[in-house]
């Protein structure tokens, strides 16, 4: 049994979660003040977890530490490939040839590189919205136009607007589709029929597709993940991105899997990418995929309970909130539009009035006004206090109107 209730002090570890929120959420410097000390905040924003990285991963790092030399490293042997491809076979009934696997120090850097390699300067990048903001940034960074396809939102449920997707995919200047599955921030897991419909559109218009599946291991009980590579087994213009970073809380180890089917694109990657890895990160990832399953199954059960607590608390305390338990990820996507005007700055409101750090509103490209996204990957006591503060802040909003402070 693992102790997910343990509250671990992350202060003075250069954690984005504790030290980076002013710049990331509020675009402010450390002079920005709140009616709470930093350590008083309940942090429910950036997507890493408040749980200790599994002991098997730490043991894997220790084993490599005992070799005592940490020189230039690249994955030459097959051990890591066998560990990761074995993980994909066991959990998703899918794998890939050894030569298609390359590594990146993050999926975001991989997206930044791949957009440049795939899209000509006058070509466009298509993705579903609301979206993780870095899909937009990957287009912006490369000075390519981003084309957005809003999901259909009906009674709290998200589905894909296939007519709009088809229309936008038909533009000959739109050459790359970035799919997020499971989907951040809505928590949807695209089902096989939805994937097949997307695959038809992708194939009809010969789109390149990057399937970002970083959240795929963090499924609710009873849910299943279908890699796009399984639905499109012979489509050469597919790149699949997965990583141990979200699953095993090791994002700081900067290690991700990129599976590039197309030989020419893979050669371009190998020519231009900085193809070295951190030896401790390789050891950690291999240990995770070889020995991490027992921990992951306990984590999933704990997260399911955190989602159940969130659903029950919102139903009782904020009856006009619209919330459905995410099918995957540890991120809760909550529609509070019944309580707020579309232009209200929700992260600022909750930081000031509840001492809760969260993301929401226009932080997800578009089609997200009135929503907050809550990171539920924290000890239950922390979650309960965060939910209590959020509900109290909303329920006292009208009696004590909030005026956003002037930006400092
Ligand atoms: C869909 C998706 N892709 C890629 C990444 C980042 O991959 P990395 O570069 O770390 O390998 C994230 C992390 N999502 C985050 C991180 O903080 N808040 C989020 O929503 C993500 O949600």
């Amino acid at each position: 049994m693992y102790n997910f209730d343990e509250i671990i002090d992350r202060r003075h570890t250069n954690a984005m979660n504790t030290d980076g929120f002013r710049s990331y959420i509020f675009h402010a410097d450390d002079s920005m003040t709140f009616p709470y000390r930093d350590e008083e905040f309940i942090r429910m924003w950036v997507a890493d977890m408040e749980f200790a990285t599994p002991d098997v991963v730490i043991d894997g790092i220790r084993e490599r530490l005992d070799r005592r030399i940490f020189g230039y490293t690249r994955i030459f042997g097959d051990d890591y490939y066998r560990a990761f491809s074995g993980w994909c076979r066991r959990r998703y009934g899918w794998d890939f040839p050894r030569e298609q696997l390359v590594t990146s120090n993050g999926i975001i850097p991989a997206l930044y590189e791949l957009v440049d390699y795939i899209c000509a300067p006058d070509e466009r990048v298509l993705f579903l919205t609301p979206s993780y903001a870095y899909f937009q940034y990957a287009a912006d960074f490369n000075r390519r136009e981003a084309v957005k396809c809003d999901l259909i939102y009906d009674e709290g449920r998200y589905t894909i607007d296939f007519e709009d997707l088809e229309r936008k995919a038909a533009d000959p200047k739109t050459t790359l589709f970035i799919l997020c599955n499971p989907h951040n921030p809505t928590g949807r897991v695209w089902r096989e029929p939805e994937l097949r419909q997307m695959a038809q559109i992708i194939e009809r218009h010969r789109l390149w597709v990057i399937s970002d599946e970083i959240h795929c291991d963090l499924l609710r009980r009873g849910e299943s993940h279908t890699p796009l590579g399984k639905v499109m087994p012979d489509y050469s213009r597919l790149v699949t991105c997965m990583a141990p970073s979200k699953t095993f809380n090791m994002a700081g180890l900067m290690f991700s899997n990129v599976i590039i089917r197309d030989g020419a694109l893979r050669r371009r990657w190998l020519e231009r990418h900085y193809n070295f890895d951190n030896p401790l990160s390789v050891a950690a990832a291999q240990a995770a995929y070889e020995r991490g399953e027992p921990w992951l199954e306990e984590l999933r059960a704990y997260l399911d309970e955190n989602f159940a607590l969130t659903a029950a608390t919102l139903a009782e305390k904020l009856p006009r909130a619209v919330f459905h338990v995410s099918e995957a990820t540890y991120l809760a996507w909550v529609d509070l539009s019944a309580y707020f005007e579309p232009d209200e700055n929700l992260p600022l409101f909750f930081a000031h009035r509840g001492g809760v750090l969260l993301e929401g509103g226009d932080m997800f490209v578009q089609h997200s006004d009135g929503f907050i996204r809550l990171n539920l990957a924290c000890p239950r006591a922390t979650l309960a206090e965060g939910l209590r503060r959020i509900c109290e802040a909303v329920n006292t909003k009208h009696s004590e109107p909030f005026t956003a402070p002037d930006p400092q």
Side-chain angles (χ1 to χ4, degrees):
M1 280 295 283
Y2 295 95
N3 179 12
F4 295 105
D5 290 320
E6 180 188 7
I7 293 180
I8 298 173
D9 182 3
R10 297 181 66 178
R11 286 174 300 164
H12 315 306
T13 63
N14 289 312
M16 185 76 185
N17 202 314
T18 53
D19 295 16
F21 66 90
R22 283 180 176 83
S23 59
Y24 188 91
I25 304 175
F26 305 107
H27 309 296
D29 62 28
D30 288 348
S31 66
M32 182 176 193
T33 57
F34 299 89
Y36 295 86
R37 293 196 312 276
D38 282 14
E39 56 271 22
E40 291 176 320
F41 279 112
I42 300 289
R43 293 171 280 104
M44 305 177 83
W45 68 285
V46 68
D48 65 18
M49 301 197 271
E50 293 297 299
F51 308 127
T53 293
D55 51 353
V56 290
V57 171
I58 296 171
D59 292 345
I61 295 169
R62 282 199 189 99
E63 282 167 34
R64 182 60 184 81
L65 281 173
D66 291 345
R67 304 300 302 272
R68 297 185 300 146
I69 295 180
F70 310 106
Y72 290 112
T73 298
R74 184 178 301 164
I75 296 175
F76 292 100
D78 278 346
D79 290 356
Y80 176 73
Y81 165 69
R82 277 200 296 270
F84 176 51
S85 59
W87 176 271
C88 291
R89 265 196 309 280
R90 283 195 309 277
R91 300 188 75 86
Y92 309 115
W94 173 75
D95 70 359
F96 45 87
R98 166 80 179 80
E99 68 272 9
Q100 292 183 0
L101 177 63
V102 298
T103 60
S104 169
N105 59 9
I107 289 180
I108 293 314
L111 292 181
Y112 280 24
E113 287 188 53
L114 289 166
V115 167
D116 181 34
Y117 302 163
I118 292 170
C119 293
D122 63 340
E123 293 178 345
R124 302 183 178 112
V125 181
L126 173 62
F127 53 89
L128 305 173
T129 39
S131 171
Y132 177 48
Y134 278 83
F135 288 9
Q136 176 75 44
Y137 301 160
D140 296 347
F141 178 81
N142 287 289
R143 292 185 176 74
R144 271 52 171 193
E145 185 184 343
V147 179
K148 278 79 91 173
C149 176
D150 282 351
L151 292 170
I152 296 168
Y153 177 60
D154 181 21
E155 290 303 306
R157 298 282 178 190
Y158 284 94
T159 54
I160 294 167
D161 184 341
F162 286 106
E163 280 181 28
D164 188 43
L165 186 64
E166 171 78 54
R167 197 168 37 254
K168 288 170 176 169
D171 173 357
K173 284 298 180 187
T174 297
T175 52
L176 171 61
F177 176 47
I178 304 180
L179 172 67
C180 189
N181 182 30
H183 187 253
N184 175 7
T186 64
R188 271 300 319 270
V189 172
W190 306 119
R191 301 274 183 272
E192 237 179 274
E194 295 168 308
L195 293 170
R196 292 201 181 286
Q197 224 175 324
M198 279 189 274
Q200 287 171 1
I201 294 171
I202 291 162
E203 287 174 347
R204 193 161 33 249
H205 302 292
R206 297 292 297 152
L207 293 178
W208 286 89
V209 51
I210 299 173
S211 184
D212 180 340
E213 305 182 10
I214 191 173
H215 295 276
C216 69
D217 300 320
L218 295 163
L219 296 162
R220 288 299 77 74
R221 180 86 33 223
E223 293 291 344
S224 61
H225 172 71
T226 305
L228 187 62
K230 199 171 176 180
V231 171
M232 306 181 81
D234 305 314
Y235 194 68
S236 66
R237 294 185 163 194
L238 168 65
V239 179
T240 301
C241 297
M242 292 180 174
S245 48
K246 285 283 173 290
T247 312
F248 298 102
N249 203 22
M250 45 191 274
L253 297 184
M254 317 283 278
F255 187 85
S256 308
N257 306 296
V258 181
I259 301 150
I260 305 177
R261 277 191 179 156
D262 179 81
L265 178 60
R266 195 165 61 240
R267 282 188 292 279
R268 181 137 194 227
W269 170 282
L270 292 171
E271 281 160 12
R272 291 181 51 182
H273 183 78
Y274 182 70
N275 287 297
F276 288 96
D277 293 301
N278 178 323
L280 301 180
S281 305
V282 175
Q286 184 171 326
Y289 289 128
E290 287 174 344
R291 304 192 289 275
E293 261 153 327
W295 179 90
L296 176 58
E297 292 320 304
E298 287 193 29
L299 168 74
R300 289 177 60 200
Y302 194 88
L303 290 176
D304 283 359
E305 288 302 310
N306 277 7
F307 272 96
L309 173 63
T310 302
T313 306
L314 293 175
E316 182 196 349
K317 304 286 188 188
L318 296 183
R320 289 188 291 149
V322 180
F323 170 65
H324 294 280
V325 171
S326 303
E327 295 163 349
T329 84
Y330 44 67
L331 304 166
W333 185 240
V334 187
D335 180 357
L336 293 181
S337 53
Y339 296 97
F340 291 89
E341 296 305 317
D343 62 349
E344 289 191 70
N345 185 326
L346 301 184
L348 196 65
F349 171 80
F350 285 106
H352 275 271
R353 293 298 292 272
V356 176
L357 298 176
L358 54 80
E359 297 185 30
D362 63 1
M363 294 179 71
F364 294 92
V365 182
Q366 65 184 43
H367 198 38
S368 57
D369 285 347
F371 283 78
I372 58 172
R373 195 193 71 173
L374 303 177
N375 180 338
L376 304 190
C378 59
R380 199 148 300 137
T382 305
L383 173 61
E385 174 60 9
L387 292 169
R388 186 196 65 76
R389 293 186 187 188
I390 287 167
C391 295
E392 183 179 4
V394 175
N395 285 326
T396 57
K397 178 169 180 283
H398 289 297
S399 56
E400 302 158 34
F402 170 68
T403 308
D406 293 334
Q408 284 130 354

